[in-house]
Amino acid sequence: MDRLRFLKQHLEENFIVASLILLILLFGTASDNFFSVITLTTILNQLPALTVITVGMTLVLIVGGIDLSVGSVMGFSATVVGVATVAWGLPLPFACIVGLMAGLMCGLTNGILVSYLALPSFIVTLGMLEMARGLAYITTNSQTVYIGGAIQKISLPLPIIGVSAALLVAVATVIVAHLALTRTVMGRFIIAIGTNEQAARMSGIDARPYRLCILAASGALAGLGGIFNAAYLGSADPNAGIGFELSAIAAAVIGGTSLMGGRGSILGAFAGVLIITILQNGLAQIGVSEPAKRLITGAVIIVAVLIDRWRGTHSAS
Amino acid sequence: MATTRLSISGLSKSYSTPVLNDVNLSINCGEIHAIVGENGAGKTTLVNILAGITHKDAGEIILDGERYAPSGPKDGFNAGVSYAAQELSIIDTLSVAENIWLRELPHKMCVIETARLEQKTRGLLDLVGLDYLSSNTPTERLSLSERQLIELAKALAADARVVILDEPTAALAGPQAARLHDIIATRAGKGASIIYISHRLGDVLSVAHTVSVLRDGQVVSSAPANTLTVDDVIHQMSGQSYPKREISPGAAHEKKPVLEVDKVTTKDLPHPISCTFYPGEIVGVAGLAGAGKSEFLSALFGLTRLRTGRISRYSDAGSINIDDPAHAVRSGIGYLGEERLSMGLFNGHSVLANMMIPGIGSCSSLSFLNRVAERISSQDLIEQLAIRCDGPQQLVEQLSGGNQQKTLIARWLHCGSRILLLDEPTRGVDVGTKSAIYELLFNMRDEGKTIIVASSDVEELMTLGDRTIVFSARKLVREFQRDGWAENDMLTAAFQEFTDQSTVRRNTGELPQQNTGRP
């Protein structure tokens, strides 16, 4: 019985993997250049920022909230890193820590307002979306700051392993978050709070510190995304990350995370990130126009949720 | 001879296991037809099919000579079948009148006609005994029993051919239940067929014309109520008889309190309450619906802010004040709320996850979960409490109400609570599970735990309690010891603060009607 269920669960997770492979094969046959080093490098370079931000978003969604500010916080953190290196002359590692702190502060602010002042996360993070973007513009005086070569090393392939430090960190984040969610007491509590907050309270769980932690983590991960973004571009763009919150939500949802809270998977969300990134690059490869790309991406998100819903109702009965 | 209204033949329905298996039933016009059975016997599934909420797998239903296969609840309603479900369908943000008439709000060009709505609602509220409510009261302000009466009014609003009532008296005190029975008798007298589901077998036998017993998805008997006794019905429901337990009082108190309530008042409990609880005893909390029982238990669990006084928990580790559920749980207090679904269960998650939540620390090291330990503990608890399920991984919402309740009790057993607060622990639970839960509570008491049970069923408290405290109109009025109580005295105490009608409305919104007893 349990073995069957185990198998079924894996089949369900593999469903996403299967669609991913299908997508790759599709683009591989449709375009001569899809299986090329350049395409691969482009995709691998775009992955880290979206991955870490989606991890944060997925956790926030599971605990029953939403974080709309991640894109702006990412932009803000990128500009902080830029100014810290260029204007303040901080060595790169310290600049990165300052950038990470900027993201963490935004997340903490969100978290305190949502958990201890009991405001809805939608509203709070919507406010933060505006504020962090404003801060990003103020930080660089609305200019793009050229940082230079040092930071780009983060997103260049390391010798021997062949992938960038950014990607390694992003994958590590996925693994740590996955283990934290599925194997730790905190993870179980987060799922419980997202499923039925009142019942969690009756079980002696105070939801507030967990909410706070998750929103703070989401902010810090957005900060990390900002560093990756600056590394990829070699410069700090105050416009970086506009609309990123929507991509992150889409990736989480494609991966089977419920917007109602209590249900979701980090590995699924990572697969969602891969699907979105590969889809966008693949479509560009086969010469699909920008408007058509957006149409197709949108449709894929809706279809993914439809399929997920359909699987949900069929596995329940 | 009365004509047949509803005839069900060969009705079957399976989920992962068969729930209904070849059910045959016939219900006449003007008949009150009770359906009884243990939890999981298939009662709710049966009426869900009749109401169009669930679809049958096989079989045929004939309603007034025509084949009846509703495509959804709306279809069923339009065909003249109205349904008051066990899980209430009241929408908190709407008014009383809007809830009752939600399916057919009177309107002109899409604008709701408030005056007509008010007038249509008035009569219904008077009928169910909520005449003191205004029809535009938001339903979120109502007590559970008032909501249940609104649900009833909603079912009666339509002039339905078939009225289905699933546990309509679960939250009602005696007089309110009696009034409900009068109402349905009148409806039946006018020709409607009533399907009545209840665990209160005494009520069932006095109010119904026919009693059908469901067991494991089959109708095992269908007989006129006046030929049956409660024992007969229990016997048919379970296939075995439950002897009344020999009651042994708890061991003499160690005079070392575990929980002390000192002059406590809260928003809902305006009169200071003081009492003390000892290890190894079961204390009943009695009172009418809305008398303050649930509010008292919530306060003990730290769910409500105290206005004055304090609640001290004494243990080997010293004494602490209870002012927050997280503290309460950490100091070994467990709580089972009145509403299982909203206050206890994590739907969409496994029995295992539901059981392990508060005591999860014992199945983890350095905050990492030990999945093997979790599996073993949950398997043990499932066996120990005889929870009927496919295994620890089954989703909790697939269990019957009684088994869900056991899962919630298992939660506190697992985390080693020394004090258990239970609010209506056997509400909507069948006779077999009920006696299993009693047995469990006695065992826990004998292990030296303290159990505080609030219940509107006086018989239950007299079975369980070593002593009972009685609330009336949000005031702790009396305490009875096991050797010095009688059901009558307890009822008198429960009613004592309700004698002045004005007090009643101001304090509770409950309206006791001592004189509308059953004919």
Side-chain angles (χ1 to χ4, degrees), chain B residues 66-298:
Chain B
E66 282 174 43
R67 178 176 294 195
Y68 170 70
S71 58
K74 192 174 174 185
D75 201 22
F77 178 75
N78 290 339
V81 178
S82 77
Y83 178 33
Q86 189 180 1
E87 300 294 340
L88 304 181
S89 63
I90 304 292
I91 299 167
D92 277 351
T93 45
L94 299 184
S95 75
V96 166
E98 286 162 344
N99 263 294
I100 294 177
W101 294 102
L102 194 56
R103 280 177 286 214
E104 37 190 346
L105 283 171
H107 59 85
K108 218 175 243 159
M109 319 247 295
C110 295
V111 178
I112 295 176
E113 295 174 89
T114 335
R116 242 180 87 203
L117 183 64
E118 156 88 39
Q119 168 221 330
K120 284 173 75 159
T121 312
R122 197 68 265 157
L124 279 166
L125 288 180
D126 292 348
L127 178 70
V128 297
L130 294 175
D131 48 339
Y132 55 91
L133 281 184
S134 151
S135 65
N136 54 22
T137 313
T139 38
E140 60 195 344
R141 290 211 205 124
L142 304 187
S143 71
L144 189 60
S145 54
E146 286 167 334
R147 282 153 184 262
Q148 191 143 39
L149 291 170
I150 296 293
E151 184 83 27
L152 174 72
K154 190 175 170 182
L156 296 174
D159 210 5
R161 291 188 273 179
V162 179
V163 180
I164 303 170
L165 305 171
D166 193 355
E167 292 287 357
T169 59
L172 300 185
Q176 291 167 323
R179 179 170 198 138
L180 181 144
H181 293 146
D182 287 345
I183 295 169
I184 60 175
T186 314
R187 266 302 156 102
K190 289 182 188 158
S193 302
I194 316 278
I195 297 177
Y196 184 92
I197 295 182
S198 177
H199 283 306
R200 298 191 180 182
L201 299 179
D203 287 2
V204 163
L205 290 181
S206 70
V207 72
H209 301 124
T210 313
V211 178
S212 290
V213 178
L214 267 182
R215 185 168 80 220
D216 298 331
Q218 285 184 309
V219 177
V220 291
S221 79
S222 215
N226 52 21
T227 62
L228 294 168
T229 67
V230 171
D231 287 341
D232 294 342
V233 178
I234 291 178
H235 187 77
Q236 287 162 356
M237 274 164 55
S238 60
Q240 55 183 317
S241 50
Y242 291 97
K244 274 213 165 145
R245 190 185 192 278
E246 203 54 33
I247 295 155
S248 57
H253 297 156
E254 293 172 45
K255 277 292 172 201
K256 210 172 128 194
V258 286
L259 193 64
E260 189 165 22
V261 180
D262 184 25
K263 299 192 204 71
V264 161
T265 61
T266 69
K267 180 167 67 69
D268 303 310
L269 299 167
H271 311 284
I273 295 169
S274 297
C275 53
T276 312
F277 301 96
Y278 299 92
E281 65 169 354
I282 299 180
V283 182
V285 181
L288 302 177
K293 304 187 296 280
S294 305
E295 289 79 1
F296 178 60
L297 290 200
S298 313

Side-chain angles (χ1 to χ4, degrees), chain B residues 5-45:
Chain B
R5 159 75 32 92
L6 194 64
S7 143
I8 300 167
S9 55
L11 191 70
S12 298
K13 174 79 190 172
S14 301
Y15 291 106
S16 51
T17 50
V19 182
L20 293 176
N21 187 3
D22 192 22
V23 168
N24 299 296
L25 265 184
S26 168
I27 298 166
N28 290 334
C29 295
E31 179 185 349
I32 301 177
H33 194 115
I35 297 177
V36 297
E38 294 197 336
N39 282 340
K43 306 179 297 284
T44 300
T45 310

Side-chain angles (χ1 to χ4, degrees), chain A residues 181-204:
Chain A
L181 187 66
T182 55
R183 302 289 172 103
T184 67
V185 172
M186 178 170 174
R188 190 65 71 73
F189 283 1
I190 287 166
I191 293 172
I193 293 165
T195 309
N196 185 346
E197 187 176 350
Q198 206 192 359
R201 187 160 133 85
M202 298 294 175
S203 306

Side-chain angles (χ1 to χ4, degrees), chain A residues 43-293:
Chain A
I43 291 176
L44 290 186
N45 266 326
Q46 290 177 357
L47 274 181
L50 186 57
T51 302
V52 291
I53 286 179
T54 302
V55 166
M57 181 67 79
T58 307
L59 291 173
V60 174
L61 290 175
I62 291 174
V63 82
I66 194 161
D67 188 350
L68 298 175
S69 68
V70 286
S72 298
V73 172
M74 170 177 153
F76 173 47
S77 148
T79 58
V80 168
V81 174
V83 167
T85 29
V86 175
W88 308 343
L90 283 183
L92 190 62
F94 290 104
C96 287
I97 290 174
V98 174
L100 212 56
M101 285 300 153
L104 181 66
M105 291 321 286
C106 295
L108 272 175
T109 312
N110 284 338
I112 290 168
L113 291 170
V114 169
S115 51
Y116 289 93
L117 296 177
L119 298 176
S121 58
F122 191 98
I123 305 298
V124 169
T125 59
L126 186 63
M128 184 57 75
L129 179 148
E130 284 299 316
M131 294 201 304
R133 188 60 67 191
L135 285 173
Y137 290 136
I138 291 171
T139 312
T140 65
N141 212 1
S142 303
Q143 309 290 312
T144 299
V145 178
Y146 177 72
I147 303 176
I151 197 169
Q152 281 181 296
K153 284 193 184 125
I154 298 175
S155 67
L156 289 177
L158 295 170
I160 309 166
I161 347 175
V163 295
S164 66
L167 190 61
L168 283 181
V169 173
V171 171
T173 310
V174 169
I175 294 169
V176 169
H178 172 73
L179 290 178
L181 187 66
T182 55
R183 302 289 172 103
T184 67
V185 172
M186 178 170 174
R188 190 65 71 73
F189 283 1
I190 287 166
I191 293 172
I193 293 165
T195 309
N196 185 346
E197 187 176 350
Q198 206 192 359
R201 187 160 133 85
M202 298 294 175
S203 306
I205 303 168
D206 184 353
R208 293 171 300 179
Y210 295 98
R211 282 243 157 82
L212 173 63
C213 279
I214 294 295
L215 278 164
S218 176
L221 286 169
L224 189 59
I227 297 170
F228 294 162
N229 184 270
Y232 171 47
L233 298 174
S235 58
D237 176 6
N239 285 311
I242 289 183
F244 238 63
E245 58 281 350
L246 299 180
S247 304
I249 293 171
V253 166
I254 289 176
T257 300
S258 160
L259 289 179
M260 309 297 293
R263 195 170 71 96
S265 141
I266 301 287
L267 295 184
F270 183 49
V273 171
L274 290 173
I275 287 179
I276 287 193
T277 314
I278 290 174
L279 189 69
Q280 291 189 340
N281 282 286
L283 289 174
Q285 281 272 325
I286 58 174
V288 174
S289 69
E290 188 60 31
K293 244 171 79 181

Side-chain angles (χ1 to χ4, degrees), chain B residues 418-457:
Chain B
R418 301 298 300 170
I419 301 176
L420 209 52
L421 312 171
L422 308 172
D423 198 354
E424 302 286 354
T426 60
R427 179 175 157 215
V429 163
D430 66 75
V431 187
T433 311
K434 203 174 189 171
S435 69
I437 289 177
Y438 287 176
E439 201 62 38
L440 197 70
L441 297 183
F442 286 127
N443 288 341
M444 291 170 76
R445 177 196 66 186
D446 294 343
E447 287 164 14
K449 292 175 179 163
T450 308
I451 295 158
I452 304 170
V453 187
S455 174
S456 45
D457 182 353

Side-chain angles (χ1 to χ4, degrees), chain B residues 380-392:
Chain B
D380 280 353
L381 286 164
I382 287 171
E383 276 164 33
Q384 191 188 336
L385 275 69
I387 297 172
R388 234 193 268 178
C389 63
D390 291 347

